Amino acid sequence: MPARSYGQYCGVTTAVELIGERWALLIVRDLLVGPRRYTDLKQGLPRIPTNILSTRLKELQEGGVVRRVPLHGCGLAYELTPYGRALEPILLALGRWGFPAMGDPDEGDVVTPDSLTMALRTAFRPDRARDLDLELHVGDVALRVIVRGGVLAVARLSPPAPPIGGVLPAGEAEAVLVAGPGIRRLIGGEITPAEAVAQDVVALVRGEGRILDAFAQTFHIDPLPA
Amino acid sequence: MPARSYGQYCGVTTAVELIGERWALLIVRDLLVGPRRYTDLKQGLPRIPTNILSTRLKELQEGGVVRRVPLHGCGLAYELTPYGRALEPILLALGRWGFPAMGDPDEGDVVTPDSLTMALRTAFRPDRARDLDLELHVGDVALRVIVRGGVLAVARLSPPAPPIGGVLPAGEAEAVLVAGPGIRRLIGGEITPAEAVAQDVVALVRGEGRILDAFAQTFHIDPLPA
DNA sequence: CCGGATCCGAATCGATACTG
DNA sequence: CAGTATCGATTCGGATCCGG
């Protein structure tokens, strides 16, 4: 019936009709980090036109992927439904798939707190994880990254004002890591931690050198078939 | 640089820029079944405009997802690169995710041989699989479905002219199953095989009744969180 | 018949402005 | 803060056309 339907009775087609429109999956990506207000989403997706953002949110609600929730006290937020949250493994796999094709950032490309958080989740290897507690700085984004017993927790330090459920861990991190876009090559195993430091793609501002090794082992994406 | 970029340096964003355009993922879906000629793809995607099909094929080639291969003797075909084939688990997961949202077919929706083949793959449970050899008819699509030792093989019987690598299994299938769209409810566990027969959503034209039970156990998609 | 290229109206997207 | 309104720029969809 809808003119814009793919005209097939198939699960993939249905999925693409629900989350295949432009920007939709990036909205889901940010909501996987936590509930977000309209303005949070707009900031996390700097290039999205506001009319597209509201259209997508409406469509995702109709599709049962997203719902609106009143924010304790005042305002409102969008969050994934359980059905929407079931996209998490798919989005992580998609992020891993896209990783080798990232190349170098285009001029004007940004890294947002939510995209970096999800990037850490895509690269996280529970099986090889070492315990960690560090601050990761990329551009003006700063995250607190804590790994304990194979479980990853990421909290946003800056830009501040953790959107909704942001709970700041107490105490100081063991290390502070400042990275540029080249950190992709460390995660991808193209270079070793030592080379990464030598080539200035990361700098260990505070903490012991072995922490960088633990980081590289814990966050890693294997090369895909060329 | 590209005006249509999402402006973020992130694996998910990169992936969506490679395969997020309209129709792209459905082209990948069909190519996961096997190499296809331009005309095969056009027939498998009846509503795709031809200019979109050629544009997407060009983009997918530039992205390293698809490549052109000369067809033994004459003509040419498109096939997935190893990198493109790495999308298979993601597409299967997407098909499973979309499955519960399929509802009933819209008027004019079609089922194609490739989409049905992929649907069987998404629903296939190697762990619970029982050996099977049957013909499955849905609309005017007929497939030969063979499960041996937890391995699924699907061949296209009709519409005939298996596009490229179609190898027809020798001999006769043990059973012939004719199904309508309601087979979704059997796969989803909403109804039992007995109910499916009683409600005419499937008909066992030939073969023993236990084959239908084996089919329902082998092809199953669990409900997702509402 | 195969593998597209071209043309054009319709729908969507992107950018900016504006409002309760 | 949370969107709507507007409008030009793109893209999509449908049809036709063309060279092998």
Side-chain angles (χ1 to χ4, degrees):
Chain A
M1 179 79 192
R4 207 139 200 281
S5 151
Y6 290 100
Q8 303 200 354
Y9 190 62
C10 150
V12 175
T13 308
T14 302
V16 171
E17 283 173 353
L18 283 173
I19 49 147
E21 296 296 301
R22 201 163 159 72
W23 292 104
L25 223 42
L26 301 186
I27 294 172
V28 172
R29 180 200 63 187
D30 282 10
L31 291 179
L32 277 170
V33 179
R36 293 288 180 263
R37 289 174 299 185
Y38 184 91
T39 312
D40 300 327
L41 291 168
K42 193 170 62 167
Q43 291 211 346
L45 274 7
R47 306 252 285 236
I48 195 175
T50 64
N51 54 349
I52 298 295
L53 178 56
S54 26
T55 304
R56 289 295 168 271
L57 286 170
K58 242 169 277 171
E59 292 163 351
L60 290 170
Q61 284 173 79
E62 283 168 23
V65 178
V66 163
R67 66 181 165 216
R68 289 164 73 135
V69 289
L71 216 42
H72 69 328
C74 61
L76 73 157
Y78 296 89
E79 69 174 12
L80 294 175
T81 63
Y83 186 54
R85 218 158 18 244
L87 285 167
E88 174 160 12
I90 296 176
L91 241 93
L92 295 179
L94 208 55
R96 268 188 294 276
W97 183 83
F99 177 84
M102 283 179 68
D104 289 317
D106 286 334
E107 182 179 0
D109 275 4
V110 298
V111 171
T112 66
D114 289 344
S115 75
L116 185 57
T117 300
M118 289 302 290
L120 286 168
R121 289 196 197 166
T122 70
F124 181 61
R125 294 291 199 83
D127 47 316
R128 318 171 10 156
R130 310 255 288 270
D131 280 2
L132 275 174
D133 182 348
L134 53 80
E135 265 181 41
L136 176 64
H137 294 249
V138 176
D140 51 359
V141 174
L143 302 177
R144 178 79 173 265
V145 181
I146 301 179
V147 178
R148 286 278 172 265
V151 175
L152 168 66
V154 180
R156 166 166 152 184
L157 300 177
S158 112
I164 285 166
V167 181
L168 289 188
E172 285 255 310
E174 296 169 12
V176 176
L177 202 57
V178 177
I183 195 180
R184 172 181 58 84
R185 302 199 291 138
L186 177 62
I187 303 282
E190 292 174 47
I191 55 177
T192 64
E195 289 165 344
V197 170
Q199 298 175 26
D200 272 335
V201 316
V202 304
L204 193 59
V205 170
R206 186 160 58 74
E208 299 172 35
R210 59 166 185 81
I211 292 183
L212 191 53
D213 295 310
F215 178 87
Q217 183 178 331
T218 302
F219 299 97
H220 183 80
I221 295 180
D222 281 321
L224 280 178
Chain B
M1 178 80 191
R4 221 172 140 72
S5 151
Y6 290 100
Q8 303 200 356
Y9 190 61
C10 149
V12 175
T13 307
T14 303
V16 171
E17 283 173 355
L18 283 173
I19 49 147
E21 296 295 301
R22 202 163 158 71
W23 292 103
L25 223 43
L26 301 186
I27 294 172
V28 171
R29 179 200 64 188
D30 282 10
L31 291 179
L32 277 170
V33 179
R36 293 289 181 264
R37 289 174 302 184
Y38 184 90
T39 313
D40 300 326
L41 291 168
K42 193 169 61 166
Q43 290 211 345
L45 274 6
R47 306 253 284 237
I48 195 175
T50 67
N51 56 347
I52 299 294
L53 178 55
S54 21
T55 303
R56 290 296 169 269
L57 286 170
K58 239 169 277 170
E59 292 163 352
L60 290 171
Q61 284 174 77
E62 283 168 22
V65 178
V66 163
R67 65 182 164 214
R68 289 164 73 135
V69 289
L71 216 42
H72 71 328
C74 60
L76 71 157
Y78 296 88
E79 68 173 15
L80 294 175
T81 63
Y83 186 54
R85 220 161 12 248
L87 285 167
E88 175 159 12
I90 296 175
L91 241 93
L92 293 180
L94 250 189
R96 267 188 294 276
W97 183 81
F99 178 83
M102 284 179 68
D104 289 316
D106 286 333
E107 184 181 359
D109 275 5
V110 298
V111 172
T112 65
D114 288 345
S115 75
L116 185 57
T117 300
M118 290 302 290
L120 286 167
R121 288 196 197 166
T122 70
F124 182 61
R125 294 291 197 85
D127 48 315
R128 319 170 12 156
R130 309 254 288 270
D131 281 1
L132 275 175
D133 182 349
L134 54 81
E135 265 181 41
L136 176 64
H137 294 249
V138 176
D140 51 358
V141 174
L143 302 177
R144 178 79 173 265
V145 181
I146 301 177
V147 178
R148 286 277 173 266
V151 175
L152 168 66
V154 180
R156 165 165 153 186
L157 301 176
S158 113
I164 285 166
V167 181
L168 288 190
E172 285 254 311
E174 295 169 13
V176 176
L177 202 58
V178 177
I183 196 181
R184 171 181 59 84
R185 301 199 292 139
L186 177 62
I187 303 282
E190 292 174 47
I191 55 176
T192 65
E195 288 166 344
V197 169
Q199 298 175 25
D200 271 336
V201 317
V202 305
L204 193 59
V205 171
R206 185 160 58 75
E208 299 172 34
R210 58 167 185 81
I211 293 183
L212 191 54
D213 294 310
F215 178 87
Q217 184 177 332
T218 303
F219 299 97
H220 183 80
I221 296 180
D222 281 322
L224 281 177

